[in-house]
Amino acid sequence: GHIVRNWKVRWFVLLQDKLLYYKIAGGKKEPSPKGRILLDGCTITCPCLEYENRPLLIKLKTKTNTDYFLECCSREERDSWALDITGAIHAGHPVQVQELHRMKNSFRLLENISLHHIVERMCDSSTGIKLTRNLGQGNRYKETFTGSALVDWLISNSFAVSRFEAITLSSMLMEENFLKPVGARSTEATRYSDPSEQFLDDSTALYMFAESSKKNIIPKEELQFNISELSGTIVKQGFLAKQGHKRKNWKVRRFVLRADPAFLHYYDPTKEENRPVGGFSLRGCLVSALEDNGVPAGVKGNVQGNLFKIITKNDIHYYIQASSKAERAQWIEAIKPLT
């Protein structure tokens, strides 16, 4: 409410240029709307974390600077309303609406992303993620947060633009031992779920900061690279998801394609040092797109499509996901002349 700051149930109807809301009487909406929110010039914030105990909020600010706080019944409903309201706000710009729907189930992580920086921001006493006490398996855990709260926080702080992207980031934080699961719900997911689905976007799954979150350990299988193979001209670079050779899980890597000599290296975006974690010569390689109408043999986990495969001359198979068909085509076109 604008005068009395209480919360009331209203029936909402979204039109092309406005959002109408009706009073409920006797379980039915009244025939005339109680009010309306004009969407022209509106800005939307979702998730909105201004109310600590109300994680399901959408905030609308009109062009006259009036704030509306709308609370939904679930995160799925909240995100669905937010997407449709945003589409209505940009109704005169179909390209923007199309981009919104594309982003909903794609990943496009920030350039030069640093997990250390994200954790520092999460720990900030004023703007960081809110830590609470929770019960799980009969134990009382101090300073925990839920999986869905972390996803909301990452989106609201512009580290991700979609829930899929935020889950990918959260999985990276857990895999690099910045976070750890606590309680039955989140712990069981790490034991029995597919590696790419071990982080739960769920309000009952609990997580906390790991004691070793500030670790800086050199991997046992640290790879040594010849200086000459890193001296080639950079032809193309960008973020792609790569399937691991041992655990068969998917990790986001920054790929760098070089010519003269022709090599494809990939870097861990969570590491601050600028050295590859893997790479191979492209001479004698085969590169091809994989069909999106099924999961090929040898591919496991959370596959979103836009796959391509590189087979080295030593018969090592690399499975890689791009964020779109166009991006996949660009990478294949750039790699082929170097094989």
Side-chain angles (χ1 to χ4, degrees), residues 68-87:
Y68 290 88
F69 294 93
L70 316 176
E71 184 173 39
C72 301
C73 298
S74 67
R75 280 179 167 80
E76 291 76 18
E77 188 178 66
R78 179 198 67 187
D79 293 347
S80 177
W81 271 98
L83 189 70
D84 291 336
I85 292 171
T86 306

Side-chain angles (χ1 to χ4, degrees), residues 194 196-197 243 248 250 289-309 319-321 328:
D194 185 279
S196 61
E197 300 172 351
Q243 181 177 263
K248 303 298 182 186
W250 291 90
L290 298 176
E291 295 297 329
D292 291 337
N293 57 359
V295 180
V299 175
K300 299 183 182 299
N302 190 10
V303 178
Q304 300 294 317
N306 308 313
L307 282 170
F308 64 99
K309 178 170 71 171
Y319 294 99
I320 301 169
Q321 288 189 67
R328 175 177 66 180

Side-chain angles (χ1 to χ4, degrees), residues 256-303:
V256 177
L257 177 63
R258 293 181 172 90
D260 300 321
F263 275 83
L264 183 63
H265 293 99
Y266 47 94
Y267 297 72
D268 186 342
T270 70
K271 307 299 183 188
E272 293 181 352
E273 66 270 15
N274 189 31
R275 66 182 313 279
V277 295
F280 51 91
S281 170
L282 290 173
R283 294 301 178 195
C285 283
L286 297 174
V287 57
S288 60
L290 298 176
E291 295 297 329
D292 291 337
N293 57 359
V295 180
V299 175
K300 299 183 182 299
N302 190 10
V303 178

Side-chain angles (χ1 to χ4, degrees), residues 110 114-130 150 153-159 209:
L110 297 172
S114 166
L115 294 191
H116 292 277
H117 174 61
I118 293 175
V119 172
E120 284 179 7
R121 288 280 302 276
M122 286 176 67
C123 294
D124 188 280
S125 57
S126 57
T127 61
I129 192 164
K130 303 300 179 185
L150 176 54
W153 185 88
L154 289 169
I155 295 171
S156 68
N157 284 272
S158 302
F159 288 114
F209 292 111

Side-chain angles (χ1 to χ4, degrees), residues 199-220:
F199 180 86
L200 299 178
D201 178 10
D202 192 303
S203 59
T204 64
L206 300 179
Y207 298 89
M208 65 189 302
F209 292 111
E211 293 295 328
S212 55
S213 62
K214 295 181 180 180
K215 69 170 188 173
N216 187 17
I217 301 170
I218 299 173
K220 291 179 182 178

Side-chain angles (χ1 to χ4, degrees), residues 223-232 258 261 263 265 275-276:
L223 299 172
Q224 300 297 325
F225 294 94
N226 192 312
I227 294 176
S228 64
E229 70 182 68
L230 297 172
S231 63
R258 293 181 172 90
F263 275 83
H265 293 99
R275 66 182 313 279

